[in-house]
Amino acid sequence: MVGLPSEDSSDSTYRVDSDDEGNNNNDISNNDDQRVYFVPFRWWKDAQDSTSSESDSKKGILYTATSGTSYAGPMKLINNIFNSDLAFNLRKEEESSLHNGENGEVGVSGRDYALVPGEMWLQALKWHSDAKVAAKGGKSFSAAEDDMADVYPLHLRLSIPRETNSLAVKISKKDNAVELFRRACKIFSIDSEQLRIWDFSGQTALYFVNERERFLKDSQRQSDQEILLELQVYGLSDSMKCREGRKDEMLGHPANCSSDAPVLSNGCNGTTNSNFGSTSASIFCGRSGEAGSLGLTGLQNLGNTCFMNSAIQCLAHTPKVVDYFLGDYTREISPDNPLGMKGEIASAFGDLLRKLWAPGATPVAPRTFKSKLACFAPQFSGFNQHDSQELLAFLLDGLHEDLNRVKSKPYVEMKDSEGRQDEEVADEYWQNHIARNDSIIVDVCQGQYKSTLVCPQCKKVSVTFDPFMYLSLPLPSTTSRTMTVTVISTDGTFQPAPFTITVPKSGKLEDLIQALSIACSLGADENLLVAEIYNHQIIRYLEELSDSLSLIRDDDTLVAYRLNKDIEKAPLVVFMHQQMEEQYMLGKLTSSWKTFGIPLVARLSNVVTGSDIHGLYLKLLNSFQTQAEDVLEDHDTSESTAVEAISLKEHDASSPTSNGIEKPRDANGVSALSEAELQLYITDDKGIVKESQILMAEAIPAPGMSRRLHVLVPWPEKYVKQYDTQLLGSLPQIFKSCFFAKRPQESVSLYKCLQAFLMEEPLGPEDMWYCPRCKEHRLASKKLDLWRLPEIVVIHLKRFSYNRFLKNKLETYVDFPIDNLDLSNYIGSRNGELSNRYMLYAVSNHYGSMGGGHYTAFVHHGGGQWYEFDDSHVFPISLEKIKTSAAYLLFYRRVVE
């Protein structure tokens, strides 16, 4: 805007296209810019305080935004937006109130703005540009030219109500593009926090004088006649958008943020929900969306980079770290440190943090930071999902080395405790540590714990004191595991039954067998043979009691056969079943034998002939027989039939049994399957090859080296219905989440996790300790204790577990303190006068499963308000929603007492 247009020149208002590269007014060297700029007050004041003396500082007129006659709160704002008008008043404050401190410190809230002439704007822009160049270490770049792209015009209609000391402002969609009107609704929202505008341009005062003179000359003139103004808005681009999906948690109804709906303040789109009347106080995305909210800036997702965004937001809101990087941190960069990243990680992170804390910042695309990250940590290159804790660990270590104040690290020899006092040894270790490591990360984030190792042979005790950057706490529920195993009898006395048991997660097969024996009431004369079933065949036997249970996956299917101990030295016979199935191949109906069901197992005791094998198999099928009404639906129930059945029963009863094995019968006493109708074949362990038929009167072949005889049994079609083949073929998996969908959510205290972390435990074979006294590697016991606590305590909840066969995420709800984490009972050293109480200020969350999921962050941003950072979207969240089962990284700061 060049001055104020006259009444008859409103249609020819001077307009500037900030995207026109050929416009000379975009040249920062042009000091003839007579337009009026609308900027964040803090941005302008920072430049003024550094370039002008107190005597040179220009006095401004303060206006406070209030609801006008056509504006009455949130509901009226909705109507105004639908009517393409946004209206409010700017009340001129009295001169005396500007100097008596009634307004407090100005520019603090992020809701104070300034109207400045073009010359002052250019001077402030140049000062900020020079500051950026200095922060870059003297590297030249077109910061000012980049900033010019952030200027856009906004048209307002002003009028002076009769006999008032205020300006009536109306912003219409007719005068502004849809996107610019959307931004105006966001900037000038006055429902949540006081909005103040300081006029340093003198234009509003001139307008008051001109309008009053005109009114005195023409008393018939309408006092509310409008004029059209054009402001150049800078530094207030749309910074935060209303996020779809979880807004319903805040509003109490489904979010509607479609791009076709009219836009409300704070970037949230309108909705036609009829419940707006009762939720008018909550229809906005929150104060985080208001322009100028320092530190409430989102990070764009570059493609599966939510893990990085979550960790960065937590670190970017860490006390002292923020102050450090907003100051002159470049003087401590150590580009020659061979353990560092040439200072590039620190520079990239510092630049990114400054952008996040810039006034009126828009969501930042962290491309430069990610590029530097990929250069020094190739595992984070590309666009795959990663672990936010792994990223945080690398970033903290990288920042430490890039900012290490020790340029030449001395050689330090670590000594054993040798019976000395813990305090003396701990101080010696810490002094040795900071002699080589001294940075802002060490100052703020590093603590010290005591590690005690005891040799199981010579009882040698070794005590060391090691630094830590974060605490990785196991969840107590990770120490146990739920497994479902099907138990099958080997004498046909009962049907297969699944049993669900709980075993140690790091346990052995011995633990599984012990728990399963109790669950199925195993007899003293019985034992269990555990096997894995796949594709209707036994693919492996689990017989080594010392085998780890981690070798068993959740989607495996296990059976346990109950065997008699008295004949445990007898060979095994494994029966596999086949039935005829029809299928279409190349347009023709064909029949073929298909394996089905669970293999049945028994001991070959007193079994010498083919007839014995037949009888043993029929005995195992006893528990699978169907009820009489299922198999005899078409049978004649006449008396003659009953007599015939009885005679058959008597005939069979008079027949000698083979080696004491009684032939099974159906519900009417009729022999279920006769030996003559069953043909048994010797086969391989997969049941594929029919080697030779087992004849009744002939001796069975001796089992091979495995002492297992595999027998294939093709079932006659007319007898398939006499047995429950579904029962014979169904097996549950070791663990299936749907089985336990209704179980109550596991809950554990954070203190319990800490106790599990500090508990003494034996080292595994892969972590054996070299005993200096025995001169051998030993399976020592290890005990950790906290000794020195840092200013910032980062706690990593170990929700993910990995091994060769198993990947798992634990959804346990961890009840962690927010206002008072007291570590006094877990600290070995008294830390001098330092407090051992901590307050939560940030959380990195992971939602979803191992294969994907999504990361967000919760951050405490002063004034008791929490915000959720979901990539580029930022909005307030209530305190009661901070604790969830998605919490992954917890950030605590020390409470000063």
Side-chain angles (χ1 to χ4, degrees):
M1 178 182 75
V2 180
L4 287 169
S6 60
E7 295 179 43
D8 59 347
S9 63
S10 61
D11 293 334
S12 60
T13 302
Y14 184 76
R15 300 174 185 269
V16 177
D17 184 359
S18 61
D19 296 326
D20 185 359
E21 296 180 0
N23 192 333
N24 291 332
N25 288 310
N26 283 349
D27 186 353
I28 195 170
S29 64
N30 181 6
N31 291 327
D32 296 328
D33 191 349
Q34 298 300 313
R35 294 172 293 177
V36 175
Y37 287 79
F38 185 81
V39 299
F41 181 88
R42 173 66 66 84
W43 177 87
W44 174 82
K45 188 173 185 297
D46 287 345
Q48 283 295 107
D49 291 345
S50 300
T51 58
S52 303
S53 63
E54 185 175 349
S55 59
D56 295 333
S57 60
K58 194 170 183 178
K59 301 298 182 181
I61 300 174
L62 175 61
Y63 293 91
T64 302
T66 61
S67 299
T69 56
S70 61
Y71 182 83
M75 285 302 299
K76 192 64 179 179
L77 175 59
I78 297 171
N79 294 331
N80 285 338
I81 291 175
F82 280 107
N83 296 329
S84 300
D85 285 334
L86 172 64
F88 56 93
N89 290 338
L90 290 177
R91 185 184 71 245
K92 184 178 179 181
E93 298 294 337
E94 295 296 330
E95 184 72 19
S96 59
S97 68
L98 303 181
H99 302 287
N100 59 14
E102 290 180 8
N103 291 285
E105 183 181 356
V106 296
V108 175
S109 68
R111 298 283 287 157
D112 289 356
Y113 306 102
L115 292 173
V116 297
E119 181 179 358
M120 295 175 64
W121 176 77
L122 289 172
Q123 291 174 353
L125 186 65
K126 186 177 186 303
W127 180 86
H128 282 282
S129 175
D130 292 342
K132 290 181 181 180
V133 172
K136 283 285 186 178
K139 299 179 182 178
S140 62
F141 68 106
S142 55
E145 294 177 8
D146 293 340
D147 290 338
M148 297 294 288
D150 195 30
V151 179
Y152 60 89
L154 185 64
H155 295 87
L156 294 76
R157 292 184 180 271
L158 297 185
S159 62
I160 301 179
R162 184 185 299 271
E163 298 180 357
T164 66
N165 196 29
S166 63
L167 288 171
V169 182
K170 183 171 70 175
I171 305 175
S172 173
K173 192 179 291 185
K174 296 177 181 179
D175 301 325
N176 298 279
V178 174
E179 176 62 24
L180 299 185
F181 180 75
R182 174 184 304 179
R183 297 183 181 185
C185 291
K186 176 179 181 178
I187 295 170
F188 295 103
S189 65
I190 61 175
D191 64 294
S192 59
E193 198 173 341
Q194 189 178 47
L195 170 66
R196 297 184 296 186
I197 300 176
W198 295 77
D199 181 17
F200 296 95
S201 68
Q203 296 293 338
T204 57
L206 181 60
Y207 176 50
F208 270 108
V209 172
N210 291 341
E211 287 301 296
R212 291 304 179 191
E213 290 179 354
R214 293 175 184 177
F215 179 74
L216 293 175
K217 291 179 180 179
D218 185 2
S219 60
Q220 301 300 320
R221 181 179 175 273
Q222 294 291 331
S223 62
D224 58 350
Q225 184 170 350
E226 296 177 344
I227 63 169
L228 182 65
L229 304 180
E230 178 177 301
L231 298 179
Q232 304 302 314
V233 181
Y234 170 75
L236 299 172
S237 297
D238 229 5
S239 60
M240 294 158 222
K241 300 288 186 182
C242 178
R243 185 176 68 88
E244 294 186 29
R246 295 216 295 279
K247 283 294 176 295
D248 53 338
E249 298 179 7
M250 297 172 57
L251 305 182
H253 55 76
N256 183 1
C257 294
S258 61
S259 58
D260 296 333
V263 180
L264 299 179
S265 95
N266 306 322
C268 183
N269 294 329
T271 179
T272 57
N273 193 308
S274 60
N275 294 328
F276 266 132
S278 60
T279 59
S280 60
S282 303
I283 60 176
F284 301 100
C285 295
R287 289 165 52 185
S288 63
E290 296 164 359
S293 298
L294 296 178
L296 297 179
T297 305
L299 286 166
Q300 294 180 16
N301 193 318
L302 306 180
N304 277 333
T305 57
C306 58
F307 75 97
M308 181 180 74
N309 294 347
S310 174
I312 289 176
Q313 291 290 10
C314 293
L315 197 56
H317 289 82
T318 297
K320 294 191 177 180
V321 172
V322 176
D323 297 339
Y324 178 83
F325 280 98
L326 291 181
D328 186 14
Y329 71 93
T330 55
R331 59 187 175 85
E332 290 192 344
I333 289 181
S334 180
D336 300 324
N337 185 353
L339 299 178
M341 287 78 176
K342 303 178 182 178
E344 295 184 24
I345 286 292
S347 295
F349 179 78
D351 290 346
L352 181 59
L353 186 142
R354 289 188 172 207
K355 291 179 181 178
L356 293 176
W357 283 85
T362 60
V364 178
R367 292 188 179 88
T368 301
F369 177 80
K370 187 180 185 303
S371 176
K372 296 297 182 183
L373 186 68
C375 288
F376 296 102
Q379 66 269 29
F380 297 117
S381 61
F383 298 96
N384 294 324
Q385 183 67 278
H386 293 281
D387 190 321
S388 67
Q389 186 272 335
E390 293 177 359
L391 182 278
L392 179 68
F394 173 83
L395 181 56
L396 288 175
D397 187 65
L399 291 175
H400 159 62
E401 294 295 351
D402 273 0
L403 300 168
N404 198 344
R405 304 177 185 109
V406 179
K407 307 306 179 184
S408 178
K409 296 187 177 183
Y411 172 76
V412 175
E413 181 179 357
M414 295 298 181
K415 300 178 183 179
D416 202 353
S417 58
E418 296 295 343
R420 292 181 293 164
Q421 292 294 321
D422 285 346
E423 289 77 7
E424 177 186 349
V425 180
D427 289 342
E428 178 183 284
Y429 269 81
W430 186 252
Q431 292 303 319
N432 290 339
H433 174 67
I434 62 176
R436 296 171 53 86
N437 303 276
D438 183 18
S439 69
I440 180 63
I441 303 300
V442 174
D443 297 342
V444 175
C445 299
Q446 284 197 357
Q448 187 182 36
Y449 58 70
K450 174 186 175 182
S451 175
T452 305
L453 291 167
V454 180
C455 177
Q457 299 297 324
C458 69
K459 305 304 178 183
K460 161 70 176 175
V461 178
S462 175
V463 178
T464 58
F465 292 84
D466 304 309
F468 68 85
M469 201 110 64
Y470 50 86
L471 299 175
S472 290
L473 305 188
L475 305 188
S477 52
T478 60
T479 60
S480 62
R481 179 183 179 190
T482 300
M483 304 180 74
T484 300
V485 182
T486 302
V487 178
I488 302 177
S489 71
T490 56
D491 57 6
T493 55
F494 60 83
Q495 295 179 344
F499 290 90
T500 299
I501 57 176
T502 300
V503 294
K505 189 139 191 181
S506 58
K508 309 296 182 183
L509 178 63
E510 181 180 13
D511 300 314
L512 183 147
I513 292 178
Q514 182 178 359
L516 192 60
S517 300
I518 297 173
C520 71
S521 301
L522 192 71
D525 59 343
E526 294 178 300
N527 58 14
L528 294 175
L529 173 64
V530 182
E532 181 182 348
I533 307 298
Y534 178 75
N535 199 22
H536 311 295
Q537 57 187 263
I538 297 176
I539 61 172
R540 63 168 172 156
Y541 295 89
L542 284 70
E543 298 180 282
E544 186 58 54
L545 296 180
S546 60
D547 280 352
S548 172
L549 293 181
S550 63
L551 300 175
I552 303 174
R553 298 171 298 182
D554 282 350
D555 56 354
D556 289 343
T557 52
L558 294 190
V559 297
Y561 298 100
R562 301 178 71 146
L563 297 171
N564 196 322
K565 282 184 179 180
D566 296 337
I567 54 174
E568 61 182 354
K569 293 184 179 180
L572 283 177
V573 57
V574 181
F575 294 101
M576 288 172 278
H577 332 283
Q578 284 186 334
Q579 63 181 353
M580 186 66 70
E581 289 187 1
E582 295 181 344
Q583 59 181 351
Y584 281 93
M585 294 186 64
L586 301 177
K588 295 182 179 181
L589 182 64
T590 61
S591 300
S592 61
W593 290 101
K594 297 292 183 181
T595 306
F596 75 97
I598 309 167
L600 299 179
V601 172
R603 292 287 186 190
L604 286 174
S605 175
N606 299 323
V607 177
V608 293
T609 67
S611 180
D612 298 333
I613 290 287
H614 278 75
L616 181 59
Y617 180 67
L618 294 175
K619 179 181 179 181
L620 294 177
L621 291 179
N622 272 344
S623 61
F624 298 96
Q625 290 188 62
T626 56
Q627 298 298 319
E629 56 269 20
D630 296 330
V631 296
L632 296 177
E633 290 178 355
D634 300 326
H635 280 205
D636 185 1
T637 58
S638 63
E639 181 179 351
S640 61
T641 304
V643 171
E644 180 182 1
I646 294 173
S647 64
L648 283 171
K649 180 177 181 181
E650 291 176 349
H651 177 268
D652 287 341
S654 64
S655 301
T657 60
S658 178
N659 290 308
I661 301 175
E662 184 181 350
K663 300 173 184 178
R665 304 176 183 279
D666 66 16
N668 289 318
V670 180
S671 178
L673 287 176
S674 67
E675 295 174 353
E677 292 172 321
L678 280 180
Q679 296 180 357
L680 278 61
Y681 297 87
I682 302 297
T683 185
D684 59 353
D685 58 352
K686 295 180 174 59
I688 297 176
V689 180
K690 289 182 180 180
E691 295 182 359
S692 61
Q693 184 177 352
I694 299 177
L695 301 178
M696 293 289 186
E698 294 185 3
I700 60 174
M705 296 295 294
S706 65
R707 294 183 56 79
R708 299 187 183 103
L709 180 66
H710 296 89
V711 177
L712 187 64
V713 186
W715 280 37
E717 182 178 356
K718 66 178 181 178
Y719 291 113
V720 170
K721 292 185 179 180
Q722 295 187 18
Y723 292 90
D724 189 344
T725 56
Q726 184 176 3
L727 178 62
L728 185 61
S730 61
L731 278 179
Q733 295 179 353
I734 287 295
F735 176 83
K736 199 166 187 178
S737 58
C738 63
F739 291 166
F740 307 98
K742 295 183 179 179
R743 67 180 179 181
Q745 186 182 37
E746 291 182 271
S747 177
V748 63
S749 165
L750 182 64
Y751 293 111
K752 290 290 185 183
C753 299
L754 187 58
Q755 291 169 10
F757 173 71
L758 300 176
M759 185 180 300
E760 183 176 354
E761 61 179 359
L763 297 178
E766 65 279 3
D767 297 318
M768 296 180 70
W769 170 64
Y770 182 80
C771 176
R773 183 178 296 171
C774 297
K775 308 297 182 183
E776 291 185 18
H777 287 88
R778 299 294 190 190
L779 291 173
S781 62
K782 183 176 183 179
K783 175 74 169 68
L784 292 178
D785 294 287
L786 299 179
W787 188 263
R788 187 189 308 267
L789 294 177
E791 185 81 14
I792 300 297
V793 173
V794 180
I795 295 178
H796 166 221
L797 301 177
K798 297 173 70 173
R799 294 194 177 276
F800 303 119
S801 61
Y802 310 86
N803 58 45
R804 182 180 177 185
F805 299 100
L806 185 68
K807 294 182 179 180
N808 185 46
K809 180 193 175 185
L810 202 67
E811 298 286 353
T812 302
Y813 173 83
V814 178
D815 186 10
F816 50 87
I818 294 180
D819 296 323
N820 184 21
L821 173 65
D822 191 353
L823 299 179
S824 301
N825 295 331
Y826 305 94
I827 185 73
S829 172
R830 293 301 93 192
N831 272 3
E833 300 299 325
L834 296 178
S835 169
N836 295 320
R837 293 176 53 249
Y838 288 81
M839 176 180 292
L840 186 75
Y841 71 89
V843 182
S844 175
N845 303 297
H846 179 268
Y847 301 91
S849 61
M850 284 282 298
H854 182 62
Y855 285 92
T856 67
F858 296 154
V859 171
H860 184 266
H861 195 265
Q865 180 62 59
W866 283 83
Y867 291 87
E868 180 167 3
F869 289 73
D870 185 0
D871 290 331
S872 58
H873 311 293
V874 184
F875 49 90
I877 185 172
S878 59
L879 182 64
E880 58 269 18
K881 294 182 179 179
I882 300 301
K883 296 183 182 182
T884 70
S885 58
Y888 184 46
L889 298 176
L890 306 175
F891 292 75
Y892 285 91
R893 62 177 178 85
R894 175 177 278 126
V895 175
V896 179
E897 296 180 337

